[in-house]
Amino acid sequence: MVSPFRRLARTHALSTAGDVAMVVSLAGSLFFSISPDAARSKVLLYLLVSFAPFAVVAPLIGPFIDRAPGGRRLIIQLTAVGRALLFAVMIFHLDDLLLFPLSFGVMVLQKTYGVSRSALIPTVVNSKTELVEANSKLGLISGATGALAAAPAGGLAAISPKLSLVFGIVMFACAVISASRLPRGSVAPSVQPAERLELRNASLRSAAVAMSLIRAVIGFLFFELLFWLRENNYSNLWIGAVIGASTVGLMLGNGLAAPLRNRLREELMLTTAIVLIAISGIGAAVFGGVGAAIVLAAVVNLASGIGRMAFDSIVQRDAPDANQGRAFAKFETRFQLSWAVAGVIPVIVTFPGRVAFLAVGLIGSLAVVLYTRASRLRSRSRGGSTATTTHRRATRGAPPTSRARRSQPGSARPSGGREAH
């Protein structure tokens, strides 16, 4: 019998193959042949048009998806259908400006799919302890499928980019069929007090801030490198190298996450991820050049893989009474918005390579400072609460008269366990 997780893995692999088909098709299209200045205004416009509604609607649609029977499964199917339809329209507009809204419409659906997939993962594993491993496996499947799907998609694109899009449509059609066998994934309609309290704990909040900064770096770096390479007349081969390095880095991060979790605390894993971003950004700024950009893309995505697995584990550990699917949907939406908002910056103003690399390093450094500071504050608070708890326990064990004496300033401690009357 096929396990629910394996069904989700198949659906995820098919969706990834469809996404790869679009990337390959766009390589020789207007998307990369139009001048950077013309592309900038189009990309900015459609980033804003695409993600502004997403930012407003996401808090409203999330509860609806939670309560609807099969809501998350339905969203996964709808995002696959939507991408297939956009691909079908895109076939006729590879050489005109309508390609831009179509492309970014696909990106919005990709992000929506990512939120729904993250929310569904807890329903396809046997226990919460398998959650991080499941995320790691899906990350590895994404990278491996992307590499494998690039060959047939590239072969078809060499004949015609339209054929690569047809390949993507077929993959999404198969994803819709595969997703029909996923569990419904419905959750409790109301948020319980214990869940609300757990999701507001200091450890989880600080980890979410760190993860938001990591995703912001990913969004900033993606669009920065895209326009920087184009403005400096680098060929599409170099753009492909950056994308390839990003994919390899993410695969390595996902592969290393599970073994690291067995040896390191989640907080140390997350700290390692943001330190890697800080060091690689500053190092790339020192060396400069397209080679440094490729290495930076690889390291940042590797750190993202490690950081995400650490964050998932923190949610699993510190919010055991929370609905994991609802929690991941909430945080994933926040992370996707961080990606989008940061991505707008280099579309408006593309920075020189070294300046952009230094910005990545500084954002990573800021994340390190904020997260380590929050960790210290938590440690002090934990120490204080432990001392208070110990004092309360000792006080509870003392006789009433003795407690009254202790509460009076300057009172002497009784010599015996009971005071004479």
Side-chain angles (χ1 to χ4, degrees), residues 4-282:
F5 175 76
R6 185 166 294 182
R7 289 172 181 166
L8 179 59
R10 289 176 181 175
T11 303
H12 182 57
L14 292 166
S15 296
T16 301
D19 291 331
V20 168
M22 186 187 78
V23 174
V24 173
S25 296
L26 294 182
S29 69
L30 180 72
F31 195 89
F32 286 112
S33 60
I34 193 173
S35 69
D37 290 336
R40 190 186 309 281
S41 61
K42 299 298 179 184
V43 171
L44 176 61
L45 174 62
Y46 295 117
L47 262 179
L48 296 176
V49 169
S50 299
F51 283 101
F54 183 74
V56 174
V57 174
L60 303 177
I61 200 172
F64 170 76
I65 294 173
D66 280 342
R67 293 168 188 172
R72 290 164 182 159
R73 180 180 67 187
L74 179 62
I75 292 298
I76 288 177
Q77 290 178 298
L78 290 178
T79 55
V81 170
R83 281 178 281 180
L85 292 175
L86 289 174
F87 276 24
V89 178
M90 200 181 293
I91 288 174
F92 302 100
H93 298 281
L94 283 173
D95 296 318
D96 61 57
L97 294 179
L98 189 59
L99 177 65
F100 286 91
L102 293 172
S103 301
F104 284 95
V106 171
M107 292 180 67
V108 172
L109 291 177
Q110 286 176 355
K111 301 303 178 184
T112 306
Y113 161 74
V115 171
S116 300
R117 184 201 66 223
S118 295
L120 193 63
I121 290 174
T123 68
V124 299
V125 295
N126 295 322
S127 64
K128 292 181 180 180
T129 57
E130 298 179 6
L131 190 59
V132 174
E133 183 181 358
N135 277 287
S136 178
K137 287 180 179 178
L138 287 178
L140 291 172
I141 289 170
S142 180
T145 303
L148 291 173
L156 291 171
I159 301 172
S160 171
K162 297 180 180 180
L163 292 177
S164 180
L165 290 175
V166 172
F167 171 77
I169 292 173
V170 173
M171 292 296 101
F172 286 127
C174 294
V176 173
I177 297 172
S178 177
S180 65
R181 300 176 181 176
L182 293 173
R184 291 176 177 271
S186 59
V187 301
S190 60
V191 180
Q192 301 301 316
E195 177 178 354
R196 186 178 292 108
L197 185 64
E198 286 179 348
L199 294 179
R200 290 177 179 173
N201 76 71
S203 173
L204 197 50
R205 287 204 311 268
S206 59
V209 170
M211 197 63 216
S212 294
L213 289 173
I214 292 176
R215 293 294 276 274
V217 167
I218 295 287
F220 172 81
L221 192 61
F222 175 79
F223 288 101
E224 166 64 27
L225 293 181
L226 176 64
F227 282 100
W228 177 68
L229 291 171
R230 300 251 356 258
E231 286 185 348
N232 287 274
N233 299 317
Y234 286 102
S235 68
N236 290 341
L237 180 64
W238 289 109
I239 296 177
V242 169
I243 295 174
S246 300
T247 302
V248 171
L250 186 58
M251 284 185 65
L252 289 174
N254 289 326
L256 290 171
L260 283 175
R261 182 173 174 262
N262 294 330
R263 294 173 180 160
L264 302 176
R265 279 184 57 83
E266 292 82 355
E267 287 80 4
L268 186 54
M269 285 179 63
L270 193 50
T271 302
T272 301
I274 52 183
V275 166
L276 280 174
I277 291 175
I279 293 175
S280 62
I282 295 172

